[in-house]
Amino acid sequence: MRRDAPAATVEIVPHSNARFPSNFLWGTATAAYQVEGGNTNTDWWRFEHRPESIAAEPCGDACDSWHRWEEDLDLAASFGLNAYRFSLEWSRIEPRHGEIDLEALEHYRNMLVACVARGLAPVVTLHHFTLPLWVADAGGFESPDIVTWMSAYATTVAAAFGELIAMACTINEPNIVAAMGYLAAMFPPEVSDWDRFVAVNETLRQCHHAMRDALHAGPGDFPVGMTLSMAQYEAVDGAEAALATYLEQMEDRYLVATTEDDFLGVQCYTKHQFGPDGLIWGGEGELTAMGYPFWPESVAYTLRRAAAYTPVPLVVTENGIGTDDDDQRIRYLDQALAHLDEVRRDGVDVRGYFQWSLLDNFEWVLGYAPKFGLVAVDRTNFTRTAKPSAAWFAAAVTERREKRR
Ligand code: BGC
């Protein structure tokens, strides 16, 4: 494992209306709810604890990263990375409407300072799937005030530590928030209604734009974008038109809404078939623990598709595999990075790659079963143990950083 990680020389060059690190960003990613533990004041916590919940198990203490975050950052730095993506928990920062928790802000500020001290450019996501209970109870993404509230939250974040942020993601996978929450009924608020799905997608784009503008107002001068879940879709049994309608909601309208942003975060894992009745989970051939195909080709496919729709720089803000077999993870990452190299050689403007995830963590409705981490976490005492894939990833990144690729 590389312990002498290169120092924090993230050179800054102007890009459009914000500033972009000139070094390619190599990182891993996590999200607050999935690793911190104890985020009781959220719609997700309530959803998991209902007796009839479809969630496999409650999140509980997750990886206890609320207390062990320094160890997490040490691990990320020890892999020779130069960036770390993590999210802020809105419900901790603003536990009740208009009430700001200064200790929570201090906690995240300390994390940002510690990232920079370790040579990790802090890439901060403001919303990663969870809502504070006061927002959920007021209608969540269907509340007439949601755009105002998210924009005010972004202003609070920038004021607290904007000068330390290297890059900000407003909303993580708004299309998954809408699809799982309002179409598949598998995330809170467990709705299945096409029209509400379409309306929430539109609202999420408005939230994103309002948050972007709030963050651009400073303090700080960092690139701002959203992250989008993308996949390689294939129509079967004559479902071409149905797939086009679905993709328009899931990807196309989001992609064209990014043209005034500083970047787009592309998050890709797999491919899906789409039939007359909608998305077909699973498929033939090798599958991952998520039950969908082993498909590292999705990296090249989704980056090229994104670049065809938007002129802004792209960052792979998530890519990885849920598996119990660490050799399978290495095989996946090896191929994924080869696809990344290939699209960059072809001139697609990609500025970073973040492996999902640093730790084995809480995989939403599936609980702790799928293992995405480079690092295993003992579920009884939270001891972290780097897997062979961590050393493999460190070497792959170091080789590319040395060649300045
Ligand atoms: C999400 C993560 C999730 C990962 C793996 C992405 O959709 O942003 O929170 O853990 O995929 O399923």
Side-chain angles (χ1 to χ4, degrees):
M1 214 59 58
R2 223 185 129 110
R3 296 266 155 204
D4 56 336
T9 48
V10 180
E11 299 158 35
I12 303 288
V13 290
H15 166 72
S16 67
N17 59 346
R19 297 161 80 83
F20 217 99
S22 68
N23 296 348
F24 192 86
L25 296 175
W26 290 104
T28 58
T30 58
Y33 194 82
Q34 295 178 269
V35 299
E36 282 181 353
N39 280 314
T40 59
N41 187 25
T42 59
D43 54 348
W44 263 87
W45 190 276
R46 181 165 63 191
F47 162 72
E48 291 153 24
H49 287 84
R50 285 215 331 270
E52 71 281 18
S53 177
I54 57 162
E57 58 189 315
C59 176
D61 289 333
C63 302
D64 194 33
S65 290
W66 182 255
H67 302 109
R68 294 167 200 257
W69 57 272
E70 287 182 279
E71 194 182 341
D72 297 344
L73 296 186
D74 285 342
L75 280 162
S78 77
F79 302 154
L81 306 176
N82 63 358
Y84 181 60
R85 175 174 173 239
F86 64 100
S87 79
L88 312 174
E89 183 56 54
W90 185 8
S91 67
R92 288 190 191 267
I93 292 177
E94 189 175 2
R96 279 160 293 279
H97 185 203
E99 187 182 314
I100 303 303
D101 185 325
L102 297 180
E103 279 180 27
L105 287 178
E106 181 70 13
H107 173 96
Y108 290 123
R109 188 182 175 84
N110 289 341
M111 281 187 75
L112 284 149
V113 169
C115 281
V116 175
R118 287 164 176 77
L120 300 167
V123 177
V124 171
T125 304
L126 275 74
H127 177 271
H128 196 125
F129 292 176
T130 52
L131 283 177
L133 277 179
W134 65 266
V135 179
D137 288 342
F141 290 105
E142 296 181 306
S143 162
D145 295 316
I146 188 67
V147 179
T148 309
W149 290 337
M150 292 195 92
S151 161
Y153 163 52
T155 298
T156 301
V157 166
F161 38 68
E163 82 281 7
L164 292 167
I165 295 176
M167 187 180 229
C169 309
T170 54
I171 302 178
N172 181 72
E173 299 185 346
N175 54 344
I176 293 296
V177 172
M180 297 294 274
Y182 295 85
L183 192 59
M186 290 181 70
F187 282 12
E190 295 177 88
V191 169
S192 180
D193 180 319
W194 178 265
D195 292 341
R196 288 172 73 180
F197 161 66
V198 170
V200 165
N201 272 327
E202 180 56 36
T203 302
L204 281 158
R205 284 189 287 275
Q206 290 170 14
C207 290
H208 161 67
H209 289 144
M211 293 170 85
R212 178 200 63 201
D213 294 347
L215 292 169
H216 274 165
D221 188 7
F222 48 87
V224 183
M226 70 165 95
T227 75
L228 195 65
S229 170
M230 297 183 71
Q232 187 165 342
Y233 291 94
E234 198 179 287
V236 295
D237 301 330
E240 284 77 10
L243 173 58
T245 304
Y246 181 74
L247 262 182
E248 186 191 347
Q249 286 300 320
M250 287 300 285
E251 295 189 0
D252 307 353
R253 288 193 184 203
Y254 281 102
L255 291 169
V256 297
T258 64
T259 49
E260 302 294 312
D261 296 352
D262 302 309
F263 72 94
L264 169 68
V266 171
Q267 316 208 145
C268 48
Y269 291 89
T270 188
K271 66 173 174 179
H272 294 297
Q273 291 194 326
F274 196 92
D277 297 326
L279 199 67
I280 301 166
W281 201 255
E284 286 160 13
E286 184 176 358
L287 302 179
T288 75
M290 295 295 282
Y292 53 54
F294 175 98
W295 199 248
E297 288 88 338
S298 61
V299 171
Y301 181 90
T302 56
L303 285 170
R304 289 187 201 283
R305 185 165 203 273
Y309 276 80
T310 178
V312 300
L314 305 175
V315 177
V316 178
T317 38
E318 282 184 30
N319 171 247
I321 177 173
T323 179
D324 288 333
D325 175 357
D326 204 46
D327 290 336
Q328 190 189 29
R329 184 180 341 275
I330 291 173
R331 201 156 44 82
Y332 182 95
L333 292 176
D334 190 27
Q335 294 180 35
L337 292 185
H339 286 288
L340 175 72
D341 293 342
E342 167 208 308
V343 291
R344 291 181 67 202
R345 268 198 312 270
D346 289 351
V348 177
D349 186 2
V350 189
R351 307 285 182 103
Y353 174 92
F354 291 77
Q355 182 271 347
W356 183 271
S357 180
L358 176 65
L359 305 171
D360 285 343
N361 60 47
F362 180 70
E363 182 52 32
W364 307 108
V365 277
L366 299 176
Y368 290 97
K371 308 241 180 301
F372 279 88
L374 296 176
V375 175
V377 178
D378 185 304
R379 295 241 42 80
T380 56
N381 60 20
F382 306 109
T383 300
R384 277 97 164 111
T385 309
K387 303 176 190 176
S389 56
W392 183 91
F393 187 60
V397 167
T398 302
E399 184 199 332
R400 284 170 173 81
R401 288 188 70 186
E402 278 164 3
K403 290 186 189 154
R404 292 189 70 81
R405 265 157 66 188

